[in-house]
Amino acid sequence: PIHVPAKWVWPVLGVLVLAVLGVRSAARGFDWQNETTLLQRNIVASQEDFTSYNALAQIDIQRHNYTDAEIYARKSVAIYSSAINNNTLGEALFLEQNYAGAYAAYTVGLKHLAYYGLVDNLAVLTAYYGNPETNRQFLLQAVKLYPQDVHPWFYLALLDYQHNHVDEAKTAIAQAYRYGQSYQGITLIYQRIMNGQPLNVVTGGSQ
């Protein structure tokens, strides 16, 4: 798992994590109580309704009920495994700090479909878990799939810089800065990498 980074690095990682995990469902603006009641009725009517289990898991993630979210997501995946519900399961496990479990869920999801949200979440996870070379190969594929997405570029830059691939790190952080200038603190990391200054952060870990 990731070692505790310098104080100026961690807030930026946190902002990027929240950007991935927090915005998508919150922007829907539904009434959680009414939605939950409807979904629970759906699963009473049909216990094979994997979409309703997944939706309940997403609501619980927004409510910070990560244990319940994991339970619902696992039920959804058990009924019908897809990129969407494996991504939801990965999010719940990530927020429970079960990084190995999140990695497993995300990689299963990728076998179904490399859709944007799933790729984004796995990019974030590379800062916390995984074999560095395996993570790097994934991030290189991710920036080809979604070249305007800040997260794969950002975490690729961190990984390359940590392993002394300075020129590659500069290229990656330049792209991250290009597409993510609005993220709090990214300018500081951009400047440190471009100027060859230490980051004091170790990404990834053993699988």
Side-chain angles (χ1 to χ4, degrees):
I2 192 169
H3 296 278
V4 177
K7 291 182 179 179
W8 58 265
V9 173
W10 183 249
V12 178
L13 294 176
V15 167
L16 293 175
V17 168
L18 290 174
V20 177
L21 301 181
V23 172
R24 290 192 296 270
S25 295
R28 294 172 63 187
F30 53 64
D31 182 326
W32 280 337
Q33 186 62 47
N34 291 342
E35 183 75 4
T36 299
T37 299
L38 176 61
L39 292 168
Q40 288 174 338
R41 288 174 180 170
N42 289 345
I43 62 177
V44 168
S46 174
Q47 295 186 4
E48 299 299 305
D49 189 350
F50 65 93
T51 58
S52 290
Y53 281 117
N54 185 67
L56 285 167
Q58 291 175 339
I59 291 173
D60 275 326
I61 286 173
Q62 293 303 311
R63 289 173 165 173
H64 309 292
N65 297 330
Y66 306 134
T67 300
D68 290 343
E70 178 188 347
I71 292 170
Y72 281 128
R74 286 194 184 280
K75 288 182 178 179
S76 179
V77 168
I79 297 167
Y80 180 80
S81 178
S82 71
I84 300 295
N85 56 19
N86 275 286
N87 182 54
T88 303
L89 176 58
E91 288 183 352
L93 292 168
F94 176 87
L95 291 164
E96 292 178 296
Q97 299 184 8
N98 182 350
Y99 302 133
Y103 184 89
Y106 289 148
T107 52
V108 170
L110 280 178
K111 295 177 182 178
H112 295 288
L113 179 68
Y115 88 97
Y116 179 87
L118 178 55
V119 171
D120 228 32
N121 284 338
L122 186 51
V124 173
L125 183 59
T126 62
Y128 298 81
Y129 182 83
N131 175 273
E133 184 54 35
T134 302
N135 285 347
R136 187 171 193 272
Q137 291 306 312
F138 163 74
L139 291 168
L140 288 171
Q141 293 176 358
V143 298
K144 291 179 181 179
L145 280 172
Y146 300 106
Q148 296 184 10
D149 182 6
V150 58
H151 298 100
W153 286 117
F154 179 81
Y155 291 103
L156 179 60
L158 289 185
L159 186 60
D160 276 341
Y161 201 66
Q162 175 197 338
H163 290 89
N164 298 316
H165 304 306
V166 177
D167 291 340
E168 292 89 340
K170 287 182 177 180
T171 298
I173 198 63
Q175 292 295 96
Y177 181 73
R178 176 183 179 186
Y179 297 117
Q181 293 183 45
S182 61
Y183 287 107
Q184 180 182 0
I186 200 169
T187 299
L188 178 58
I189 293 180
Y190 168 80
Q191 291 172 342
R192 285 184 173 269
I193 289 178
M194 298 303 287
N195 292 323
Q197 297 174 328
L199 294 182
N200 299 323
V201 59
V202 178
T203 60
S206 59
Q207 293 186 28

